[in-house]
Amino acid sequence: MTIEMLYSKIHRATVTDANLNYVGSITIDEELLEAAKMRIGQKVEILNINNGERFSTYIILGERGKRDICLNGAAARKVHKGDKVIIVAYATYNEKELETYKPKVVLLNEDNDIDEILDEI
């Protein structure tokens, strides 16, 4: 049996831009991606704390150190600049993998700098 579980999340990121005229996706700063162990092209769910919207998209690489969190294309209609979002990635684990399972949780401050990294929920 396999179970879909939280793989990692970036918690309380501040949306820095919403670009309706882009093809689609979410742009995330490279340092934040590394901290959360997320990958370019990976499917993620976006949870908008301000308005309750929940939607899926995929990750594109943002410039290291700029702390960009930008929703692009149709997803740009679901957020406003300054909104707080949670970016969630899931993975499928088997019973053996769950014995050592530890999701990565990256907590951000108001400027999208990393406040803390947790190895559990």
Side-chain angles (χ1 to χ4, degrees), residues 39 41-45 56-59 88-90:
R39 293 168 172 77
Q42 184 175 10
K43 179 182 177 180
V44 289
E45 285 191 23
S56 298
T57 190
Y58 62 93
I59 297 170
V88 182
Y90 300 97

Side-chain angles (χ1 to χ4, degrees), residues 57-84:
T57 190
Y58 62 93
I59 297 170
I60 62 172
L61 183 63
E63 188 176 332
R64 178 179 287 278
K66 286 191 68 178
R67 296 302 186 251
D68 287 337
I69 301 290
C70 179
L71 277 300
N72 304 300
R77 294 205 181 270
K78 306 247 183 216
V79 300
H80 290 92
K81 187 176 177 179
D83 281 359
K84 292 289 186 188

